[in-house]
Amino acid sequence: MSFIEALLLSLALCVDTLVVSAATALRSKMRRRHGVLMALILGFCQFAFPLAGAIIGDVSRAFIEAVDHWVAFGLLAFIGGKMIVEGIRNEDEKESRYHSLTVGTFFLLGVATSIDGLAVGIGLGLDNPMTTVMWVVGLIGAVTVTVSLVGIYLGKRNIPIPERTANIIAGVVLFGLGVKILLEHLL
């Protein structure tokens, strides 16, 4: 996996983090230390879930080696397609308030925004050696921290995030990465 592909994957995975960070900052009286703590926790979760998925993928590679590219494609296509559909539907934002800024709340938000990363990690583990996986998930974590801080900054300044467009772009990127993996194995 090239650096550009890993960066695009990282950005696609942290779209939810951007939106959640901005919404949390917008709807609360978040102090700087809370914002940094939230960004670090979200980044940790976005690092840990793909890593856990990659370990699952790496362990199961021997069992499904003949079809691993199809599994990786299917996972990325499913997640990407889901994000595209969510973006096109443009459903009203769920009305939820983040009144209490606690570590527990930040971890719940981190888990909620990182579930897709688990499935993507499985695809990474199936298609890449663990040395590659480690730097990719490290990049995912670092990009997530940065994007979360940007979201908090935007939220504190009441700057809206185009969630619909962001979801569609992220979905197209994930779907495209899945197609690339499939074509590399078939051609």
mmCIF file of all heavy atoms in Angstrom, residues 71-90:
data_model
loop_
_atom_site.group_PDB
_atom_site.id
_atom_site.type_symbol
_atom_site.label_atom_id
_atom_site.label_comp_id
_atom_site.label_asym_id
_atom_site.label_seq_id
_atom_site.Cartn_x
_atom_site.Cartn_y
_atom_site.Cartn_z
ATOM 1 N N VAL A 71 -12.722 -10.985 -0.157
ATOM 2 C CA VAL A 71 -13.167 -10.560 1.179
ATOM 3 C C VAL A 71 -12.796 -9.102 1.415
ATOM 4 O O VAL A 71 -13.622 -8.294 1.860
ATOM 5 C CB VAL A 71 -12.578 -11.475 2.282
ATOM 6 C CG1 VAL A 71 -12.906 -10.943 3.663
ATOM 7 C CG2 VAL A 71 -13.095 -12.906 2.125
ATOM 8 N N ALA A 72 -11.544 -8.737 1.105
ATOM 9 C CA ALA A 72 -11.097 -7.351 1.283
ATOM 10 C C ALA A 72 -11.940 -6.412 0.423
ATOM 11 O O ALA A 72 -12.398 -5.358 0.883
ATOM 12 C CB ALA A 72 -9.617 -7.212 0.932
ATOM 13 N N PHE A 73 -12.164 -6.792 -0.835
ATOM 14 C CA PHE A 73 -13.007 -5.985 -1.717
ATOM 15 C C PHE A 73 -14.417 -5.864 -1.153
ATOM 16 O O PHE A 73 -14.998 -4.774 -1.112
ATOM 17 C CB PHE A 73 -13.063 -6.600 -3.122
ATOM 18 C CG PHE A 73 -14.173 -6.044 -3.968
ATOM 19 C CD1 PHE A 73 -14.080 -4.770 -4.503
ATOM 20 C CD2 PHE A 73 -15.316 -6.783 -4.219
ATOM 21 C CE1 PHE A 73 -15.114 -4.246 -5.267
ATOM 22 C CE2 PHE A 73 -16.346 -6.275 -4.985
ATOM 23 C CZ PHE A 73 -16.252 -5.004 -5.512
ATOM 24 N N GLY A 74 -14.989 -6.981 -0.733
ATOM 25 C CA GLY A 74 -16.358 -6.968 -0.205
ATOM 26 C C GLY A 74 -16.514 -6.061 1.003
ATOM 27 O O GLY A 74 -17.482 -5.292 1.102
ATOM 28 N N LEU A 75 -15.559 -6.136 1.935
ATOM 29 C CA LEU A 75 -15.634 -5.290 3.127
ATOM 30 C C LEU A 75 -15.530 -3.807 2.768
ATOM 31 O O LEU A 75 -16.329 -2.982 3.223
ATOM 32 C CB LEU A 75 -14.530 -5.668 4.124
ATOM 33 C CG LEU A 75 -14.696 -7.020 4.815
ATOM 34 C CD1 LEU A 75 -13.417 -7.403 5.553
ATOM 35 C CD2 LEU A 75 -15.875 -6.991 5.773
ATOM 36 N N LEU A 76 -14.537 -3.458 1.936
ATOM 37 C CA LEU A 76 -14.358 -2.058 1.560
ATOM 38 C C LEU A 76 -15.527 -1.556 0.710
ATOM 39 O O LEU A 76 -15.994 -0.426 0.884
ATOM 40 C CB LEU A 76 -13.036 -1.864 0.818
ATOM 41 C CG LEU A 76 -11.795 -1.977 1.688
ATOM 42 C CD1 LEU A 76 -10.539 -2.041 0.825
ATOM 43 C CD2 LEU A 76 -11.709 -0.823 2.667
ATOM 44 N N ALA A 77 -16.014 -2.395 -0.209
ATOM 45 C CA ALA A 77 -17.143 -2.000 -1.043
ATOM 46 C C ALA A 77 -18.402 -1.810 -0.195
ATOM 47 O O ALA A 77 -19.174 -0.858 -0.404
ATOM 48 C CB ALA A 77 -17.390 -3.040 -2.138
ATOM 49 N N PHE A 78 -18.620 -2.700 0.763
ATOM 50 C CA PHE A 78 -19.800 -2.583 1.626
ATOM 51 C C PHE A 78 -19.755 -1.298 2.445
ATOM 52 O O PHE A 78 -20.720 -0.547 2.494
ATOM 53 C CB PHE A 78 -19.915 -3.798 2.552
ATOM 54 C CG PHE A 78 -21.027 -3.668 3.557
ATOM 55 C CD1 PHE A 78 -22.347 -3.845 3.168
ATOM 56 C CD2 PHE A 78 -20.762 -3.348 4.878
ATOM 57 C CE1 PHE A 78 -23.380 -3.703 4.079
ATOM 58 C CE2 PHE A 78 -21.785 -3.197 5.798
ATOM 59 C CZ PHE A 78 -23.106 -3.377 5.401
ATOM 60 N N ILE A 79 -18.613 -1.051 3.099
ATOM 61 C CA ILE A 79 -18.495 0.148 3.935
ATOM 62 C C ILE A 79 -18.566 1.404 3.070
ATOM 63 O O ILE A 79 -19.261 2.364 3.404
ATOM 64 C CB ILE A 79 -17.193 0.122 4.755
ATOM 65 C CG1 ILE A 79 -17.255 -1.027 5.756
ATOM 66 C CG2 ILE A 79 -16.974 1.444 5.486
ATOM 67 C CD1 ILE A 79 -15.918 -1.362 6.365
ATOM 68 N N GLY A 80 -17.857 1.396 1.935
ATOM 69 C CA GLY A 80 -17.906 2.536 1.032
ATOM 70 C C GLY A 80 -19.304 2.777 0.495
ATOM 71 O O GLY A 80 -19.791 3.912 0.461
ATOM 72 N N GLY A 81 -19.980 1.705 0.086
ATOM 73 C CA GLY A 81 -21.354 1.834 -0.404
ATOM 74 C C GLY A 81 -22.300 2.357 0.657
ATOM 75 O O GLY A 81 -23.171 3.202 0.381
ATOM 76 N N LYS A 82 -22.122 1.883 1.882
ATOM 77 C CA LYS A 82 -22.947 2.357 3.000
ATOM 78 C C LYS A 82 -22.754 3.858 3.214
ATOM 79 O O LYS A 82 -23.716 4.601 3.404
ATOM 80 C CB LYS A 82 -22.576 1.574 4.263
ATOM 81 C CG LYS A 82 -23.387 1.918 5.478
ATOM 82 C CD LYS A 82 -22.978 1.002 6.646
ATOM 83 C CE LYS A 82 -22.817 1.762 7.881
ATOM 84 N NZ LYS A 82 -21.653 2.197 8.434
ATOM 85 N N MET A 83 -21.518 4.315 3.138
ATOM 86 C CA MET A 83 -21.243 5.742 3.329
ATOM 87 C C MET A 83 -21.829 6.580 2.187
ATOM 88 O O MET A 83 -22.355 7.672 2.422
ATOM 89 C CB MET A 83 -19.737 5.987 3.449
ATOM 90 C CG MET A 83 -19.149 5.416 4.727
ATOM 91 S SD MET A 83 -17.374 5.630 4.819
ATOM 92 C CE MET A 83 -17.326 7.238 5.593
ATOM 93 N N ILE A 84 -21.742 6.064 0.965
ATOM 94 C CA ILE A 84 -22.317 6.780 -0.178
ATOM 95 C C ILE A 84 -23.825 6.892 -0.017
ATOM 96 O O ILE A 84 -24.412 7.965 -0.191
ATOM 97 C CB ILE A 84 -21.953 6.075 -1.504
ATOM 98 C CG1 ILE A 84 -20.444 6.192 -1.760
ATOM 99 C CG2 ILE A 84 -22.751 6.665 -2.666
ATOM 100 C CD1 ILE A 84 -19.937 5.303 -2.892
ATOM 101 N N VAL A 85 -24.483 5.796 0.343
ATOM 102 C CA VAL A 85 -25.935 5.804 0.530
ATOM 103 C C VAL A 85 -26.331 6.772 1.646
ATOM 104 O O VAL A 85 -27.284 7.542 1.500
ATOM 105 C CB VAL A 85 -26.460 4.377 0.815
ATOM 106 C CG1 VAL A 85 -27.905 4.392 1.285
ATOM 107 C CG2 VAL A 85 -26.318 3.514 -0.428
ATOM 108 N N GLU A 86 -25.597 6.754 2.757
ATOM 109 C CA GLU A 86 -25.896 7.686 3.855
ATOM 110 C C GLU A 86 -25.748 9.127 3.391
ATOM 111 O O GLU A 86 -26.537 9.993 3.771
ATOM 112 C CB GLU A 86 -24.971 7.428 5.048
ATOM 113 C CG GLU A 86 -25.288 6.169 5.808
ATOM 114 C CD GLU A 86 -24.252 5.843 6.887
ATOM 115 O OE1 GLU A 86 -23.263 6.589 7.031
ATOM 116 O OE2 GLU A 86 -24.449 4.823 7.568
ATOM 117 N N GLY A 87 -24.751 9.393 2.560
ATOM 118 C CA GLY A 87 -24.550 10.740 2.052
ATOM 119 C C GLY A 87 -25.643 11.168 1.095
ATOM 120 O O GLY A 87 -26.092 12.307 1.117
ATOM 121 N N ILE A 88 -26.092 10.244 0.258
ATOM 122 C CA ILE A 88 -27.142 10.565 -0.713
ATOM 123 C C ILE A 88 -28.487 10.742 -0.022
ATOM 124 O O ILE A 88 -29.252 11.648 -0.359
ATOM 125 C CB ILE A 88 -27.228 9.467 -1.799
ATOM 126 C CG1 ILE A 88 -25.967 9.523 -2.664
ATOM 127 C CG2 ILE A 88 -28.483 9.613 -2.638
ATOM 128 C CD1 ILE A 88 -25.830 8.373 -3.636
ATOM 129 N N ARG A 89 -28.782 9.903 0.967
ATOM 130 C CA ARG A 89 -30.055 10.002 1.683
ATOM 131 C C ARG A 89 -30.216 11.330 2.391
ATOM 132 O O ARG A 89 -31.318 11.820 2.541
ATOM 133 C CB ARG A 89 -30.182 8.878 2.704
ATOM 134 C CG ARG A 89 -30.577 7.578 2.094
ATOM 135 C CD ARG A 89 -30.911 6.593 3.181
ATOM 136 N NE ARG A 89 -31.186 5.296 2.602
ATOM 137 C CZ ARG A 89 -31.097 4.167 3.248
ATOM 138 N NH1 ARG A 89 -30.723 4.165 4.514
ATOM 139 N NH2 ARG A 89 -31.357 3.035 2.657
ATOM 140 N N ASN A 90 -29.084 11.873 2.875
ATOM 141 C CA ASN A 90 -29.091 13.159 3.572
ATOM 142 C C ASN A 90 -30.117 13.182 4.693
ATOM 143 O O ASN A 90 -30.912 14.110 4.818
ATOM 144 C CB ASN A 90 -29.337 14.310 2.586
ATOM 145 C CG ASN A 90 -29.009 15.647 3.195
ATOM 146 O OD1 ASN A 90 -28.239 15.733 4.135
ATOM 147 N ND2 ASN A 90 -29.604 16.689 2.646
#
